Amino acid sequence: MELAIGIILGCCALGAGMAMIAGIGPGIGEGNAVASACEAIARQPESKGSVTTTMLMGCAIAETTGLYALVIAILLIFVAPNILVNILTEAMQAL
Amino acid sequence: MKKPSLRFRLTDAFYIAMMILPIVFGIVLKVLTKPATTGISITGAGIYFTIPMPIQDFPVTESQVNSVIALVVVLFLCLYLTHGLTEKADLKRQHFAEMAVTKVDDLVKENMGEYFNGFTPFIIAILALSAVSSLLTLCGLFPPTSDINIVGGWAVLVFFLITYYKMKCGPVNYLKSFTQPVALLTPINLISEVATPVSMAFRHYGNVLSGTVISVLLGSALAGLSAKLLSFLPGFLADIPLFQVGIPAVLSLYFDLFSGCLQAFIFAMLTMMYVAGAFDAETFFKKKARKSAKNKS
């Protein structure tokens, strides 16, 4: 029983860590977006306002995939262990 | 300039008090019901009490109470800013209120076009509500925006708006828009239709929640670090987590102040873009012109 609970907790933590590999993508994407925005502002300093607004919007949208991964990781850490352990104890009682 | 009358000043005091009192009420409620904890404690919204209902019990959670607090604060902020409006604008707050309205008005005009001129109140309401909700963390309250139920509600509202403006060109055109550009892509179009509110809700909620989680982790890590490094100090000095003083405030500046306001702005911008993008102006006006021509003849 303890072993099974330990495996559940460990696998949930591992899964959460693996889900956050998705954080690489938004990092690269936002870096590219900000680099291009810097170039644009350097070329045309007078368009700073609109470039910054567009960059923030683009960053927010590029962030979405990372946030999906974050939500899954949070579910795996805070929600999934309780549910899985409850299912396990119910199954053990039924036996 | 004429000195304001006693009644005017009393009303002002009442509005300011009504802005501060709900926050104090929220803090008192939290202190009375939540036991103090040390170390890492990341929990969702606490449940104050449950109302029994026929199908399922209705829990009144921290986030619901705090979002009502945010609503009351925004209401009395608006009442305070618009109190004593004159044509000459001799109060400072009138300048501030006019500036806010003009800024959002320009934003709406720039992003949504002529047809959506009446959208300013809705956008400014979303902005103010979201910003005030996120900034409640500065008072130590649970921010309602880090609960997906609250943000999901706003996203569903935006989804209804999008569907309404897509329906403006008639239900046939609305159904036909799913088979664009090829009929084979209909399932993917359906998924992207549902993904819009989901991604909006997740974006806002994930940003605020990740800030909270990182702040809590950093706080407990600093406590552990100071316990390890400063244990050589004599007496009670060793028990005080000295590293916890000041350093989390720098992160709070980003996660609470900057990120909260930025997410409010992004939510409002995305609302504007999605709603404006859903409205097919060309077809709508063509149809309208055809209809009026038919009525004349």
Side-chain angles (χ1 to χ4, degrees), chain B residues 149-173:
Chain B
N149 301 310
I150 303 288
V151 190
W154 302 349
V156 167
L157 176 66
V158 174
F159 176 71
F160 277 126
L161 267 178
I162 293 170
T163 314
Y164 173 75
Y165 278 103
K166 276 191 179 171
M167 285 279 200
K168 274 254 167 180
C169 297
V172 179
N173 277 351

Side-chain angles (χ1 to χ4, degrees), chain A residues 57 60 63-64 68 70 74, chain B residues 199 202-203 207 209 266 269:
Chain A
M57 285 292 306
E63 228 172 27
T64 311
Y68 288 158
L70 176 83
I74 282 171
Chain B
S199 79
F202 275 10
R203 186 175 296 123
N207 269 301
L209 183 68
I266 284 171
M269 279 292 276

Side-chain angles (χ1 to χ4, degrees), chain B residues 13 29 56 78 83 94 101-102 112 123 128 135 140 146 174 182-183 188 196 208 214 231 268 279:
Chain B
L29 205 63
Q56 199 180 10
C78 293
H83 187 216
Q94 187 173 348
V101 171
T102 336
M112 298 178 82
I123 297 299
L135 292 182
S146 77
Y174 173 69
V182 197
I188 294 175
T196 310
V208 179
I214 291 173
S231 56
F279 180 60

Side-chain angles (χ1 to χ4, degrees), chain B:
Chain B
M1 199 176 113
K2 200 175 68 185
K3 230 185 160 190
S5 66
L6 182 67
R7 192 175 161 190
F8 187 84
R9 269 185 287 175
L10 272 180
T11 326
D12 266 8
F14 172 70
Y15 288 156
I16 293 175
M18 284 306 287
M19 263 187 266
I20 298 167
L21 274 180
I23 297 174
V24 174
F25 168 76
I27 293 172
V28 168
L29 205 63
K30 188 181 178 182
V31 167
L32 287 182
T33 52
K34 260 201 169 175
T37 51
T38 52
I40 303 178
S41 69
I42 303 167
T43 54
I47 296 173
Y48 284 136
F49 56 88
T50 51
I51 301 170
M53 286 274 172
I55 299 169
Q56 199 180 10
D57 283 355
F58 178 72
V60 175
T61 60
E62 228 174 330
S63 51
Q64 282 164 357
V65 174
N66 286 359
S67 67
V68 173
I69 288 173
L71 281 176
V72 174
V73 171
V74 170
L75 170 67
F76 280 96
L77 185 70
C78 293
L79 281 177
Y80 174 75
L81 284 176
T82 54
H83 187 216
L85 292 181
T86 48
E87 262 178 50
K88 283 185 200 158
D90 34 41
L91 285 170
K92 268 181 201 158
R93 66 182 87 139
Q94 187 173 348
H95 292 282
F96 181 77
E98 280 176 4
M99 190 193 77
V101 171
T102 336
K103 277 265 160 71
V104 180
D105 219 6
D106 287 347
L107 205 67
V108 169
K109 250 178 218 155
E110 194 183 324
N111 286 307
M112 298 178 82
E114 280 290 297
Y115 187 76
F116 292 99
N117 269 348
F119 247 67
T120 315
F122 178 68
I123 297 299
I124 209 168
I126 279 187
L127 264 176
L129 190 57
S130 171
V132 170
S133 299
S134 297
L135 292 182
L136 278 182
T137 33
L138 294 179
C139 309
L141 289 172
F142 180 87
T145 40
S146 77
D147 188 333
I148 192 152
N149 301 310
I150 303 288
V151 190
W154 302 349
V156 167
L157 176 66
V158 174
F159 176 71
F160 277 126
L161 267 178
I162 293 170
T163 314
Y164 173 75
Y165 278 103
K166 276 191 179 171
M167 285 279 200
K168 274 254 167 180
C169 297
V172 179
N173 277 351
Y174 173 69
L175 289 178
K176 220 187 256 173
S177 74
F178 284 112
T179 59
Q180 300 292 338
V182 197
L184 203 66
L185 292 177
T186 311
I188 294 175
N189 279 333
L190 279 175
I191 291 173
S192 76
E193 190 79 5
V194 178
T196 310
V198 170
S199 79
M200 276 179 90
F202 275 10
R203 186 175 296 123
H204 200 326
Y205 141 88
N207 269 301
V208 179
L209 183 68
S210 65
T212 316
V213 171
I214 291 173
S215 302
V216 171
L217 284 180
L218 181 93
S220 59
L222 284 173
L225 192 71
S226 61
K228 276 269 171 348
L229 288 184
L230 301 176
S231 56
F232 64 88
L233 287 174
F236 68 93
L237 274 179
D239 296 333
I240 302 175
L242 280 176
F243 285 147
Q244 260 186 337
V245 181
I247 297 175
V250 181
L251 269 189
S252 166
L253 207 64
Y254 174 77
F255 283 122
D256 294 342
L257 267 177
F258 176 70
S259 185
C261 296
L262 183 70
Q263 289 313 313
F265 173 70
I266 284 171
F267 195 88
M269 279 292 276
L270 283 177
T271 308
M272 285 190 278
M273 287 188 171
Y274 282 136
V275 172
F279 180 60
D280 189 0
E282 208 178 315
T283 323
F284 179 70
F285 286 119
K286 219 185 267 172
K287 220 174 174 185
K288 210 174 178 187
R290 211 184 299 148
K291 216 177 235 175
S292 61
K294 205 185 263 176
N295 281 350
K296 258 177 209 166
S297 62

